């Protein structure tokens, strides 16, 4: 009771202007207290909101991070490449040489024929025939006839040769050599000039698709030695 009377007595002792100032100051203090309380009340809300957003973010990132950490690293599978060996049938290629020697012939010459035959799968593909002729030492008088024969063979080279056929004559000592090359993989016999058929060592002895047995028999029947 004395306190209230003291306050009342103080107020009664203040002038009207002083009393108004006191009321203004009291109102200012009340506003400061109210603002402070508002600030204090907002901070927990902001903190709680920040924590909530952070928790949500962690929740969204949890599964991807978990999956990334726990992703099983699979060892690369080593695939053995099984290469199939392609077995190419081996071609049956064979070369046979047939030889005929005619030394001390009745015409006074020494001559020989060597034929190299090339077969594939037992079919004649090509051949090279080499014919040589020279005067026998005991009969030098036949030199003129040997030279004439060489020139006759040389004349074959003046004719056009179709693909797959070639003939070449060269001097060899007192005699000469004639090399005839026939390739059945390229030769069309219908286009071959008939002039090449007038001499046995210039003509084509076989036909395309001649078998090995047929070709060998052709030479062995003429006393050639084939091996």
């Amino acid at each position: 009771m004395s306190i209230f009377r003291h306050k009342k007595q103080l107020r009664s002792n203040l002038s009207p202007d002083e009393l108004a100032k006191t009321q203004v100051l009291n109102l200012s203090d009340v506003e400061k207290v109210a603002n402070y309380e508002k600030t204090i009340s907002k901070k927990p809300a902001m903190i709680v909101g920040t924590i909530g957003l952070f928790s949500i973010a962690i929740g969204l990132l949890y599964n991807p991070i978990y999956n990334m950490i726990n992703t099983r690293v699979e060892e690369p599978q080593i695939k053995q490449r099984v290469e199939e060996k392609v077995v190419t049938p081996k071609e049956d290629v064979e070369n046979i040489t047939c030889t005929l020697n005619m030394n001390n012939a009745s015409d006074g010459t020494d001559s020989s024929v060597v034929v190299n035959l090339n077969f594939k799968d037992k079919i004649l593909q090509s051949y090279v025939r080499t014919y040589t002729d020279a005067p026998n030492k005991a009969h030098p008088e036949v030199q003129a006839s040997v030279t004439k024969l060489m020139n006759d063979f040389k004349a074959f080279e003046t004719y056009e040769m179709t693909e797959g056929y070639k003939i070449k004559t060269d001097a060899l000592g007192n005699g000469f050599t004639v090399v005839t090359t026939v390739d059945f993989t390229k030769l069309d016999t219908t286009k071959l000039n008939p002039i090449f058929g007038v001499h046995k060592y210039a003509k084509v002895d076989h036909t395309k698709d001649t078998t090995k047995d047929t070709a060998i028999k052709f030479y062995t029947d003429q006393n050639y030695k084939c091996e």
Side-chain angles (χ1 to χ4, degrees):
M1 295 294 291
S2 60
I3 294 174
F4 289 110
R5 280 199 300 268
H6 177 69
K7 286 184 177 181
K8 186 176 181 182
Q9 188 177 7
L10 287 174
R11 288 178 182 175
S12 64
N13 292 331
L14 294 174
S15 64
D17 291 336
E18 291 175 342
L19 183 60
K21 290 181 180 179
T22 301
Q23 291 175 348
V24 170
L25 289 173
N26 291 336
L27 180 61
S28 176
D29 291 338
V30 172
E31 288 178 351
K32 287 181 180 180
V33 171
N35 290 334
Y36 176 75
E37 289 179 351
K38 288 180 181 179
T39 303
I40 294 301
S41 63
K42 286 181 180 178
K43 285 184 178 179
M46 292 175 63
I47 293 173
V48 172
T50 302
I51 293 173
L53 291 174
F54 184 70
S55 299
I56 293 171
I58 292 177
L60 293 174
L61 294 175
Y62 176 77
N63 287 334
I65 293 173
Y66 179 82
N67 292 334
M68 181 176 65
I69 293 174
N70 290 276
T71 300
R72 182 180 178 184
V73 180
E74 295 184 358
E75 295 182 358
Q77 295 181 354
I78 302 174
K79 295 183 178 179
Q80 292 183 349
R81 183 179 176 185
V82 180
E83 296 184 356
E84 295 183 358
K85 287 188 176 182
V86 178
V87 180
T88 304
K90 186 177 181 181
E91 295 179 344
D92 184 10
V93 177
E94 189 175 7
N95 300 317
I96 295 179
T97 300
C98 296
T99 305
L100 176 64
N101 290 312
M102 299 171 288
N103 295 328
N104 299 315
S106 58
D107 62 358
T109 62
D110 290 334
S111 61
S112 66
V113 185
V114 178
V115 185
N116 295 310
L117 303 160
N118 302 306
F119 298 94
K120 178 182 176 181
D121 297 329
K122 301 188 184 304
I123 299 296
L124 182 62
Q125 303 296 302
S126 63
Y127 70 90
V128 179
R129 178 180 55 221
T130 303
Y131 167 66
T132 60
D133 196 358
N136 186 285
K137 292 181 180 180
H139 301 278
E141 71 278 4
V142 302
Q143 180 66 62
S145 61
V146 170
T147 301
K148 181 182 180 303
L149 183 59
M150 180 183 69
N151 292 332
D152 290 342
F153 276 108
K154 194 71 175 175
F156 286 126
E157 297 177 22
T158 62
Y159 296 92
E160 184 179 359
M161 301 179 199
T162 188
E163 185 179 16
Y165 176 89
K166 183 179 180 181
I167 187 169
K168 186 75 169 62
T169 301
D170 293 298
L172 181 64
N174 294 330
F176 63 92
T177 181
V178 180
V179 179
T180 307
T181 303
V182 178
D183 185 352
F184 289 110
T185 66
K186 299 177 181 179
L187 178 63
D188 182 353
T189 55
T190 63
K191 297 180 180 180
L192 188 63
N193 193 322
I195 192 66
F196 299 117
V198 299
H199 196 283
K200 65 182 299 184
Y201 296 132
K203 70 177 182 178
V204 177
D205 287 329
H206 311 285
T207 60
K208 188 176 182 179
D209 297 330
T210 297
T211 65
K212 173 185 173 182
D213 292 340
T214 300
I216 298 301
K217 186 176 185 303
F218 174 84
Y219 293 105
T220 55
D221 285 350
Q222 300 179 64
N223 298 320
Y224 282 77
K225 182 180 179 181
C226 297
E227 58 185 7

